[in-house]
Amino acid sequence: DIGNIDPVNPGASFATNVTIHVGDQSSFSPTVTTQTGPTIINIANTNPNHNAGGDIVLDGVIANAVAGSTTTISADTGNIVNGAAGASIATGALTLTTPGGHIGTSVSPLQITSTLFTATAAGDIDVVEQGDLILGGVVSTGGTVNLVAQGSILDGLGGTATDIVAHAIVLTANGGSIGATSRALTIGTPSSASATSLSATAHSGINIFGNAIAHQPATLNLNGATSVTGDITIETIDAFQAVDDIVLGATTQVRASAGNVTLEAGDNFI
C-alpha cells in the first residue's frame, strides 16, 4: 500500500539551518533563499522477469505538483487501485502501467491532477481528472477506457498519433470540450477487437477522429454523443478496407443543444 508522499519540505525558510563562518561579519549580510525543484517519483511492483504479482493500492495523497515533476506507477500483473477515500495523485506528467491488470474501477476511479496523462492496461482504465485531461496515449488491450475531466479532454500527442486505443471508450468533459476544433481527439481499435464503441459527453463541443492503427479496422459503434454548447464532429478515416463505418444503434442519440452535428464515415453509415 502507498500512503502520503510529499517531497516538498513544508518549512518556508531554511535560514535557521544555515551557518556562515567568516572572520569579519561587519560588512557581510547574507541572504538565504529557497527554490522548490521538480521531483521524479517512480513506484513499481516488479521483478527481473516482469511477472511480480500483487496490486499497488493508493491509500493517501501523492503531492508532486511542482512544475516539471513526474510520477510513474507500474505493476507487472496486478492492478493500480484506490484503497482509501481521499486517495489522489497531483503531479506533472503521470504514467500508469498495468500490463496484466486494470487502473481504478468504475466504482472508485483514480482521482488525479496532471499536466499529461499516459496509461496502459490489460483491463479497464477509470480516471477522474480535476482539471483538463491532456492525453499522452491511453491504451486498454481488453477493457473499457472511462475518462472524466472537470475541464476538457484534449490531445497531447499532436500529429496523427492516437490518443486512446480501446474496444470501448466513455468520455465525459464536464467543464470543457472533448478534442478541439483545430485538433481532434484521435481514437483507435486494439488488435484484440474488430471495432470500437464510443460514448461522449461534453459541455462545449466534441471533435473526435477514428483512426486506423497498424491496419486495424476503424469501425466505430457510436452509442451516443452530447454537447451542451458546442458543435459535434465525429469522423472515421477512409483506410485500406471497406469497414471504416459509423454504426448507429437503435437507441443512439447525437445531440448538440446549441451547435451543429457533423458525422463523416470513411465508408458507410449502418
Side-chain angles (χ1 to χ4, degrees):
D1 292 6
I2 306 299
N4 295 329
I5 300 176
D6 186 350
V8 178
N9 191 309
S13 174
F14 296 93
T16 57
N17 299 321
V18 178
T19 302
I20 300 174
H21 296 283
V22 294
D24 182 5
Q25 296 190 20
S26 60
S27 300
F28 185 70
S29 300
T31 300
V32 178
T33 61
T34 61
Q35 181 177 351
T36 302
T39 299
I40 298 173
I41 295 177
N42 190 356
I43 300 168
N45 184 9
T46 186
N47 63 26
N49 296 321
H50 299 291
N51 60 1
D55 298 341
I56 293 179
V57 181
L58 304 178
D59 280 332
V61 175
I62 297 177
N64 192 32
V66 173
S69 295
T70 63
T71 301
T72 301
I73 303 175
S74 57
D76 281 348
T77 62
N79 309 303
I80 302 173
V81 293
N82 292 320
S88 65
I89 304 170
T91 186
L94 174 62
T95 302
L96 306 177
T97 306
T98 61
H102 62 261
I103 296 171
T105 67
S106 58
V107 175
S108 182
L110 296 192
Q111 305 292 320
I112 70 170
T113 303
S114 65
T115 58
L116 183 69
F117 177 64
T118 303
T120 303
D124 295 347
I125 299 175
D126 292 277
V127 168
V128 175
E129 163 69 48
Q130 301 308 309
D132 290 339
L133 183 58
I134 301 174
L135 302 180
V138 176
V139 177
S140 170
T141 56
T144 297
V145 171
N146 189 346
L147 305 178
V148 178
Q150 303 308 331
S152 298
I153 301 175
L154 302 172
D155 165 46
L157 294 172
T160 59
T162 306
D163 296 296
I164 305 172
V165 178
H167 83 273
I169 299 171
V170 181
L171 304 176
T172 305
N174 289 320
S177 65
I178 297 173
T181 303
S182 60
R183 196 161 161 179
L185 197 73
T186 306
I187 64 175
T189 303
S191 59
S192 59
S194 59
T196 291
S197 68
L198 172 68
S199 299
T201 303
H203 182 269
S204 54
I206 297 172
N207 192 1
I208 294 175
F209 181 67
N211 196 13
I213 304 170
H215 302 293
Q216 282 299 115
T219 300
L220 180 64
N221 295 325
L222 184 57
N223 293 335
T226 301
S227 175
V228 177
T229 64
D231 298 336
I232 296 176
T233 300
I234 299 174
E235 304 176 52
T236 59
I237 193 172
D238 187 6
F240 63 100
Q241 52 184 312
V243 293
D244 304 318
D245 305 326
I246 294 179
V247 180
L248 304 175
T251 60
T252 297
Q253 291 190 10
V254 181
R255 179 180 299 174
S257 300
N260 301 312
V261 173
T262 301
L263 302 179
E264 185 173 339
D267 290 306
N268 306 301
F269 283 100
I270 300 174

